[in-house]
Amino acid sequence: MAIDFGRIARGVATGYIGQKLANTAANDAMKGRIIERAGINFYENTLPEFQKKEKNREETYKKLSSKYGVNVAEYMDQEGFITGSTSDYANIVKDLGANDNLNETKLKSYLEATNAGSYESRKQGRVSDIQDREKFVTGNLSKNQIGDMTAKLFLSQSETMTDASEATAPKTMTETVTTPAVPGSQVGPQVTEAVPEKTETKEVPLATFEEIFGKDEEKLQTDFSAMPYEDKTRIIDDARQEFQTTYGFDKLTGAPKIPEKYKEDYNKLKKEGKVGNKTIEAYAYDRFFKEQYLPKVQIGYNEPYAVTTARRAINHQRSINNEAGVQQAKDILKSMGFDPNDYGL
């Protein structure tokens, strides 16, 4: 009996084409769902969060301009002290106080040397970025296409939005120095030749925060809420890596493992309606960050670390009714340059 190889080949080809079409349709459907999710995430999360932060930024900038002047507001914005948080203004005022020791000349020279643009130009850069992302989303919804940017749309705004203030500022500035002329002279047989006036340009270090505002920057370096944006980002990234190293990853999902204690507390709070929209991952990381990582690197969350340490000591002494111990902790804090009354102690 002769075998019809042509018929078999046609059957195989037909089956292959059918399977190929089915796979293509399935892939297209999956891509469509991903794009739809990206669009929903953008309009329900990313864009509203961006708008909220921009409103907070603008309010903080205007308040600082009114209280301290435009140059101070510009410095705080370009150096990352204004982040879009509702607590930015209070944190900055806490750091600057009456700002009686401001060196306006050094502040102006710093702004001119760093040349980081204005608040409006930085704002326009952020707006342009969000507009580009919106075009990407709407364009893909109509074309049913995805690319490398899709993954970014699933990230939080803080991980994807950029700002001109995040750029690393130069460490030096150019300064023109004029050395006055020295006339020649003669004392007895000793003749001193005249030295003409000399003007030269040289690189000098930029003024520090302490030099500009007359504040102790070392104190600010142990208060997370008062740190510049890039320092906060570095600390957050380091803490996230340590969290992942400490608890490992789930082999099935690839997500970082959550400690059982955190799971129990999260579920309890969730039943009580106290976690809002915060995921268990965000809750666990936030607790690890504040309770374990920051104390390990000796940084306070909303206050200098020395104040955090004193607060714990004072609370402990009060719990055992030892007022002498409370006063001793306050005295130690005062000796370090902190007024306990400023921190409600």
Side-chain angles (χ1 to χ4, degrees):
M1 178 179 176
I3 298 175
D4 189 348
F5 288 102
R7 182 178 180 183
I8 293 174
R10 287 193 299 274
V12 170
T14 302
Y16 169 78
I17 293 172
Q19 184 63 40
K20 177 67 174 175
L21 292 173
N23 290 341
T24 300
N27 289 337
D28 287 344
M30 180 182 70
K31 288 164 62 177
R33 288 193 296 271
I34 292 175
I35 294 169
E36 182 179 7
R37 285 176 58 201
I40 292 173
N41 181 66
F42 179 83
Y43 286 108
E44 290 187 354
N45 299 307
T46 304
L47 185 58
E49 181 68 12
F50 171 82
Q51 292 169 333
K52 181 176 72 174
K53 285 194 172 184
E54 281 305 308
K55 180 181 178 182
N56 292 338
R57 279 179 185 266
E58 185 169 355
E59 289 179 355
T60 299
Y61 180 86
K62 288 181 177 179
K63 287 180 180 178
L64 291 175
S65 296
S66 176
K67 186 175 181 67
Y68 298 121
V70 173
N71 282 349
V72 171
E74 284 290 336
Y75 178 94
M76 291 298 168
D77 183 56
Q78 81 168 46
E79 295 303 309
F81 288 91
I82 301 178
T83 65
S85 168
T86 54
S87 62
D88 284 345
Y89 179 73
N91 289 334
I92 293 171
V93 171
K94 181 181 72 175
D95 293 337
L96 297 185
N99 204 29
D100 295 330
N101 298 319
L102 172 67
N103 188 316
E104 295 185 7
T105 300
K106 289 186 176 180
L107 173 59
K108 184 178 179 181
S109 297
Y110 184 95
L111 293 175
E112 291 175 351
T114 52
N115 192 27
S118 65
Y119 169 81
E120 287 300 326
S121 67
R122 290 187 290 273
K123 176 182 177 181
Q124 188 53 50
R126 295 189 297 269
V127 170
S128 177
D129 189 5
I130 201 73
Q131 288 174 339
D132 288 342
R133 294 176 64 184
E134 183 175 28
K135 290 176 184 177
F136 172 81
V137 173
T138 55
N140 283 327
L141 284 172
S142 61
K143 299 176 184 177
N144 195 35
Q145 294 178 350
I146 59 174
D148 294 337
M149 281 282 290
T150 302
K152 292 185 179 181
L153 295 169
F154 288 95
L155 299 175
S156 66
Q157 178 186 341
S158 62
E159 294 173 304
T160 56
M161 296 299 290
T162 57
D163 189 346
S165 65
E166 297 169 21
T168 301
K171 301 300 181 184
T172 61
M173 59 181 288
T174 302
E175 182 176 80
T176 301
V177 179
T178 300
T179 304
V182 178
S185 63
Q186 180 173 356
V187 179
Q190 183 68 37
V191 177
T192 302
E193 294 184 3
V195 178
E197 180 181 273
K198 181 180 180 182
T199 299
E200 58 182 339
T201 300
K202 59 181 181 180
E203 294 291 317
V204 296
L206 284 172
T208 64
F209 182 96
E210 182 178 4
E211 291 171 336
I212 294 173
F213 295 101
K215 298 289 179 179
D216 187 351
E217 192 172 17
E218 289 300 317
K219 294 179 182 178
L220 300 181
Q221 289 176 351
T222 64
D223 182 351
F224 179 78
S225 66
M227 290 180 175
Y229 175 88
E230 31 181 64
D231 288 345
K232 287 182 177 178
T233 301
R234 173 181 54 77
I235 291 171
I236 289 172
D237 289 344
D238 289 346
R240 194 180 300 279
Q241 290 180 20
E242 182 155 326
F243 180 87
Q244 295 169 353
T245 301
T246 302
Y247 298 112
F249 293 87
D250 188 294
K251 292 182 180 179
L252 294 177
T253 65
K257 291 182 179 179
I258 307 298
E260 288 301 321
K261 174 61 176 173
Y262 289 174
K263 289 181 182 178
E264 293 172 4
D265 292 346
Y266 176 84
N267 290 332
K268 181 180 178 180
L269 291 172
K270 188 174 183 179
K271 288 180 179 179
E272 297 173 356
K274 296 181 179 179
V275 295
N277 296 324
K278 182 176 287 187
T279 65
I280 188 171
E281 290 82 5
Y283 169 82
Y285 173 71
D286 187 58
R287 280 194 57 178
F288 174 82
F289 183 68
K290 295 176 181 176
E291 296 175 4
Q292 297 188 51
Y293 186 78
L294 288 183
K296 176 183 175 181
V297 295
Q298 299 189 347
I299 293 175
Y301 184 67
N302 276 319
E303 60 193 12
Y305 182 69
V307 177
T308 299
T309 303
R311 187 183 300 279
R312 291 174 184 159
I314 290 171
N315 289 340
H316 172 70
Q317 295 299 327
R318 282 177 176 158
S319 71
I320 59 176
N321 296 317
N322 184 2
E323 286 304 315
V326 170
Q327 189 57 50
Q328 184 180 21
K330 288 184 178 182
D331 290 342
I332 292 173
L333 196 59
K334 288 179 181 178
S335 70
M336 299 175 68
F338 297 100
D339 185 347
N341 294 325
D342 291 342
Y343 299 93
L345 298 175

